[in-house]
């Protein structure tokens, strides 16, 4: 369905076409193409295919497009039978060239010194060869891509990269980042925990592990979208940039990041190529991993035991598109029959009972939660989450949250329509740098008048009046869960045949669970989703192949 914004964009292009003496006979083809490419970008596609030869001829004549023979800047670009928004064409082209250029040798030291640093980083550990290779490539090459599913040791591998780099170059400046504030904070905590648990032989420079930041903050964007300004800024002042949850990078943000890596710096991207792609346009990490670059490592060994191993098996069944019978056998007791929202809510309330137990004494006494109780409450809330494929509808986030909220109000004796009440779990919906809160941050209301949010190793209390726009967070969409993990997850799947019943969404939901998973959906619906892949139109991998061929012919690639 064509959106109002798409129609407005098309109208603007037709006016531009007319003002530059474009043929009237080409107006309808231009309008249809403009609507398609605008809506496609909103759905995550970088480009759309030309519909037919007649459309291609009409668009090639229109002054509202740039083409191979007409290179002037225009709102649309016609390239290789694809139609692009100009900004997405620019980002894809530049990212392909930057990735090809970065996929080159750039050793931080001699081969012997690198081998010794890898040995030091893995002292007392039992890594597989893929992990060692990932660390070695991060020290030998300017670009390194590390893909792995749950329990494959991505965070451990990133920690070993930091240790090995510090062993060779203690003064090296290292930045760690992620696409969202929550994922960046989790990366900081995870790396600190991994490094803190390692033997004392680690290099002294590791003690200066920087605080994780968002990629936007790394680039100095202050919450603004990536674009021309982000791409052409000065090189970043870091010797190494490590980005986790790279599957969440869209084409413009990834392009801006790659173009800002200085000539003596290196970029490490870690993620899961089988996960959901970014909300914005592009499937960047998956395409980079599939582009034939020499810097890709896929981690496949399972380091999780007992309950965690089951999650890995379930994720593999979805990733490999197992049939209904195999899905039923793999998921077994995790499947919950029925689609009654009341049953989903009752299960959620049972899972959150530990949090309610921490809340109850203060609620009954009519007193605000102290720091210890607030910390306990947040920890218990964060141990479980309901993940919904859908936002709207009876099994969507909005309805499930409303039902849970009503139950919590009854339990603590709050007014039926109170917006703020002790125990309310909320998620921030937009970045607010002044408040130091970002989209995806989660906090809990402690007294009806203030909310506490995790802040480093402690808590920060804020009046509800200054908390940025937020909503209940007992249930969140699978898309919002990216960058997070929970001890247990209840996944409410989309109905069979729904546009969101896809392999990537189910896989992402399953891999948010560390130890326990329940799935509200049938084996047939999960199997159907597992066989439905999300395909995004784009030519990043094709462009990288072309750039590499050009580098080989010039002798630049080794």
């Amino acid at each position: 369905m064509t959106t109002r914004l798409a129609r407005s964009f098309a109208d603007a292009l037709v006016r531009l076409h007319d003002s530059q003496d474009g043929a009237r006979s080409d107006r309808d083809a231009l309008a249809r193409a403009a609507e398609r490419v605008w809506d496609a970008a909103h759905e995550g596609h970088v480009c759309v295919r030309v519909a037919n030869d007649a459309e291609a001829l009409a668009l090639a004549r229109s002054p509202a497009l740039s083409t191979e023979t007409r290179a002037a800047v225009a709102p649309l670009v016609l390239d290789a039978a694809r139609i692009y928004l100009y900004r997405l064409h620019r980002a894809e082209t530049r990212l392909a060239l930057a990735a090809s250029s970065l996929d080159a040798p750039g050793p931080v030291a001699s081969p012997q010194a690198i081998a010794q640093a890898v040995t030091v980083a893995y002292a007392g550990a039992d890594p597989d060869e893929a992990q060692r290779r990932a660390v070695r490539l991060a020290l030998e090459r300017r670009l390194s891509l590390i893909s792995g599913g749950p329990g494959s040791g991505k965070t451990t591998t990133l920690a070993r990269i930091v240790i090995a780099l510090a062993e060779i170059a203690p003064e090296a400046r290292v930045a760690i980042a992620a696409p969202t504030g929550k994922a960046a904070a989790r990366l900081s905590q995870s790396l600190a925990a991994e490094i803190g648990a390692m033997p004392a032989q680690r290099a002294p420079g590791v003690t200066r592990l920087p605080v994780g930041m968002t990629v936007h903050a790394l680039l100095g964007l202050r919450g603004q979208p990536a674009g021309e300004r982000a791409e052409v800024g000065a090189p970043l002042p870091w010797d190494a940039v490590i980005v986790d949850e790279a599957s969440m990078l869209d084409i413009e943000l990834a392009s801006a990041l790659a173009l800002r890596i200085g000539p003596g710096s290196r970029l490490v991207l870690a993620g899961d190529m089988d996960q959901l792609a970014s909300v914005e346009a592009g499937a960047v990490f998956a395409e980079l991993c599939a582009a034939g670059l020499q810097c890709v490592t896929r981690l496949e060994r399972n380091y999780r035991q007992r309950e965690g191993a089951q999650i890995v098996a379930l994720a593999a069944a979805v990733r490999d598109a197992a049939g209904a019978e195999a899905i039923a056998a793999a998921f077994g007791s995790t499947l919950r029959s029925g689609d009654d929202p009341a049953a989903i809510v009752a299960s959620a309330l049972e899972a959150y009972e530990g949090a309610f137990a921490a809340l109850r004494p203060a609620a009954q006494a009519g007193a605000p939660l102290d720091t210890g109780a607030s910390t306990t409450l947040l920890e218990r809330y964060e141990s479980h989450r309901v993940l919904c494929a859908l936002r709207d509808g009876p099994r969507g986030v909005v309805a499930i949250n409303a039902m849970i909220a009503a139950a919590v109000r009854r339990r603590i004796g709050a007014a039926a329509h109170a917006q703020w009440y002790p125990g309310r779990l909320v998620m921030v919906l937009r970045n607010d740098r002044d408040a130091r809160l970002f989209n995806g941050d989660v906090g809990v209301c402690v007294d009806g008048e203030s909310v506490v949010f995790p802040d480093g190793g402690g808590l920060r209390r804020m009046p509800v009046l200054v908390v940025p726009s937020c909503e209940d967070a007992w249930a969140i969409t699978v898309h919002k869960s990216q960058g997070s993990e929970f001890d247990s997850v209840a996944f409410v799947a989309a109905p069979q045949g729904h546009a969101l019943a896809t392999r990537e969404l189910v896989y992402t939901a399953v891999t948010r669970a560390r130890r326990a998973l329940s799935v509200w959906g049938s084996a047939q619906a999960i199997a159907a989703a597992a066989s439905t892949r999300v395909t995004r139109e784009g030519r990043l991998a094709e462009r990288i192949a072309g750039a590499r061929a050009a580098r080989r012919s010039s002798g630049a690639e080794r």
Side-chain angles (χ1 to χ4, degrees):
M1 177 183 293
T2 301
T3 64
R4 184 171 62 182
L5 282 175
R7 286 191 292 270
S8 297
F9 177 65
D11 290 344
L13 259 64
V14 169
R15 290 194 296 272
L16 175 63
H17 174 89
D18 291 344
S19 71
Q20 298 188 16
D21 301 322
R24 290 188 62 82
S25 59
D26 296 333
R27 296 168 87 242
D28 288 346
L30 173 63
R32 287 193 299 269
E35 290 177 353
R36 284 197 299 125
V37 76
W38 183 276
D39 283 338
H42 181 71
E43 294 169 1
H45 300 285
V46 177
C47 57
V48 297
R49 295 174 184 266
V50 172
N52 49 50
D53 290 344
E55 181 181 71
L57 289 172
L59 295 178
R61 290 190 294 261
S62 173
L65 284 86
S66 63
T67 65
E68 186 176 351
T69 57
R70 186 173 58 251
V73 173
L76 296 182
V77 177
L78 180 63
D79 183 3
R82 305 292 198 284
I83 312 164
Y84 291 81
L85 294 175
Y86 168 77
R87 61 182 176 83
L88 298 183
H89 182 268
R90 179 190 64 206
E92 184 181 79
T93 303
R94 291 180 174 181
L95 176 57
L97 291 173
S100 176
S101 177
L102 286 170
D103 185 35
V108 295
S110 68
Q112 295 78 10
I114 289 175
Q116 176 61 25
V118 174
T119 299
V120 169
Y122 279 108
D126 178 30
D128 61 13
E129 181 52 37
Q131 286 184 319
R132 287 184 178 274
R133 179 177 185 273
V135 176
R136 190 171 63 249
L137 284 178
L139 302 178
E140 291 176 344
R141 303 186 70 82
R142 297 191 59 218
L143 177 65
S144 177
L145 306 175
I146 304 169
S147 179
S152 62
K154 287 195 302 295
T155 303
T156 300
T157 302
L158 294 181
R160 308 289 178 173
I161 290 171
V162 173
I163 290 172
L165 185 59
E167 172 71 15
I168 292 175
E171 301 305 316
R173 298 161 297 174
V174 179
I176 59 175
T180 68
K182 187 173 181 65
R186 180 169 160 260
L187 175 61
S188 287
Q189 295 163 2
S190 298
L191 286 181
E194 288 282 353
I195 291 171
M198 289 176 184
Q201 297 99 312
R202 63 179 184 272
V206 177
T207 60
R208 296 191 297 274
L209 183 68
V211 175
M213 66 183 90
T214 65
V215 178
H216 276 84
L218 183 80
L219 298 175
L221 294 177
R222 296 185 174 276
Q224 300 171 356
E228 179 75 20
R229 185 174 69 83
E231 291 184 346
V232 300
L236 295 171
W238 310 100
D239 299 303
V241 175
I242 297 174
V243 177
D244 197 15
E245 298 294 345
S247 64
M248 298 169 68
L249 291 172
D250 63 79
I251 192 79
E252 290 187 279
L253 190 58
S255 175
L257 174 63
L259 287 167
R260 297 280 299 279
I261 301 300
S265 302
R266 63 198 61 246
L267 174 63
V268 178
L269 300 178
D272 188 342
M273 63 184 294
D274 298 308
Q275 231 177 262
L276 278 169
S278 63
V279 175
E280 303 296 331
V284 172
F285 189 67
E287 284 205 75
L288 287 174
C289 289
L293 297 170
Q294 299 181 41
C295 57
V296 181
T297 303
R298 184 151 192 177
L299 306 179
E300 296 182 323
R301 177 176 168 182
N302 171 24
Y303 286 86
R304 290 185 179 174
Q305 304 298 323
R306 296 183 294 278
E307 298 96 336
Q310 183 193 19
I311 303 300
V312 175
L314 301 184
V318 174
R319 183 193 65 215
D320 298 338
E325 186 174 329
I327 289 286
F331 278 62
S333 61
T334 67
L335 294 171
R336 301 286 184 267
S337 60
D339 58 1
D340 180 7
I344 297 172
V345 170
S347 173
L349 291 171
E350 182 179 352
Y352 286 128
E353 183 54 44
F356 299 148
L359 171 66
R360 200 170 290 124
Q364 291 173 346
L369 277 72
D370 60 25
T371 300
S374 298
T375 301
T376 300
L377 181 60
L378 262 175
E379 288 175 349
R380 293 183 181 178
Y381 272 144
E382 285 297 282
S383 69
H384 178 77
R385 194 68 85 244
V386 180
L387 304 184
C388 300
L390 309 182
R391 178 169 179 79
D392 299 314
R395 289 160 51 95
V397 162
V398 175
I400 298 298
N401 269 330
M403 295 174 72
I404 295 176
V408 176
R409 290 190 193 98
R410 289 194 297 270
R411 289 185 180 215
I412 67 169
H417 299 292
Q419 179 183 11
W420 293 102
Y421 48 88
R424 184 190 178 197
L425 185 68
V426 296
M427 173 180 282
V428 174
L429 299 179
R430 64 177 178 82
N431 296 336
D432 187 330
R433 294 186 64 84
D434 293 334
R436 290 189 290 123
L437 290 174
F438 300 92
N439 185 8
D441 284 350
V442 173
V444 63
C445 182
V446 294
D447 56 7
E449 297 179 355
S450 57
V451 182
V452 295
F453 291 92
D455 187 20
L459 296 177
R460 182 157 54 97
R461 185 183 296 252
M462 298 185 65
V464 297
L465 293 176
V466 299
V467 173
S469 176
C470 59
E471 66 181 6
D472 289 341
W474 290 287
I476 60 177
T477 62
V478 176
H479 282 85
K480 281 283 189 182
S481 74
Q482 288 182 273
S484 300
E485 283 189 343
F486 309 95
D487 286 341
S488 65
V489 162
F491 170 46
V492 185
Q496 189 168 343
H498 192 282
L500 290 176
T502 66
R503 181 187 307 178
E504 290 81 1
L505 188 136
V506 174
Y507 177 88
T508 302
V510 167
T511 55
R512 298 312 89 198
R514 293 191 191 97
R515 297 186 177 88
L517 174 74
S518 59
V519 178
W520 292 88
S522 67
Q524 292 75 16
I526 299 299
S531 66
T532 306
R533 296 209 64 175
V534 175
T535 302
R536 289 189 167 183
E537 285 288 346
R539 297 176 53 234
L540 178 60
E542 179 184 333
R543 290 185 189 279
I544 290 173
R548 292 186 64 208
R551 287 173 59 82
R552 280 197 299 270
S553 65
S554 68
E557 183 171 301
R558 288 178 286 173

